[in-house]
Each structure stands twice: as C-alpha cells, then as structure tokens.
Amino acid sequence: MSLTLRVEVGKKGYIIIPKSVRDLVGIKEGDILILTVVGDKIILEPERKVNIREVVKKLEEHERKISYAKRASLGELENISLEEEFED
C-alpha cells in the first residue's frame, strides 16, 4: 500500500503526522519513532517492542509442530541428488 501526503515543516523542524496516518500504522502519543535517512529520503517507522516471552512461546510451539521431522545427520545426504529430492 502506498500513501502520499503533503505536510509542512514548522518551527524547529516539527511536522505533524496526520491522524489518518497515525491510525493506519498504529502510532499513539508517546510512541517512539525510528528516523532513517536513505539518500535524500526520510523514513519514519514506529519502534516495535518485542515481548521475548511471546517469541520463545511461538518458537516452542513451532518446534513441537515440526518435531516429527527426521533430522539429517552429517554425510547422510551426501549421495542424494537434488533432482531426486524434489521429484513429484
């Protein structure tokens, strides 16, 4: 999705991010934005906080889902060609 708006730079370099844009990307008062300069462009992105417990929980769930898969040991796939491996 692409959205282009015109905003005016005020005193001390302030700009106002329109409410529609804040709502679209979930920016609220007090949030931190990451400002990146790439060439002559300015990129503003909301800083996303990561809940490490949630990440660990999701990784554990994923590991349980794929635990049935056999793990290949070193050298076990040495004589298997990719063509054989991906045949229908």
Side-chain angles (χ1 to χ4, degrees):
M1 181 178 146
S2 178
L3 176 66
T4 302
L5 297 172
R6 216 170 150 238
V7 295
E8 183 177 341
V9 179
K11 290 184 180 181
K12 298 184 182 181
Y14 285 97
I15 62 166
I16 294 174
I17 301 172
K19 183 177 183 334
S20 59
V21 174
R22 294 192 315 265
D23 290 346
L24 185 66
V25 296
I27 297 172
K28 296 181 279 321
E29 182 178 347
D31 284 354
I32 303 295
L33 300 179
I34 305 300
L35 186 146
T36 307
V37 176
V38 178
D40 62 347
K41 298 185 183 327
I42 298 170
I43 300 170
L44 283 175
E45 298 174 289
E47 179 181 66
R48 301 291 183 208
K49 302 206 188 258
V50 175
N51 182 332
I52 193 69
R53 289 187 182 109
E54 282 297 314
V55 172
V56 169
K57 181 180 171 185
K58 293 286 184 187
L59 286 172
E60 288 170 349
E61 288 172 8
H62 182 69
E63 186 176 21
R64 277 193 297 278
K65 287 180 184 176
I66 64 168
S67 63
Y68 67 87
K70 178 184 175 208
R71 299 193 193 283
S73 61
L74 186 61
E76 192 173 310
L77 302 176
E78 181 179 13
N79 296 321
I80 297 177
S81 73
L82 288 177
E83 290 79 13
E84 291 173 12
E85 196 64 24
F86 292 102
E87 286 180 353
D88 289 326

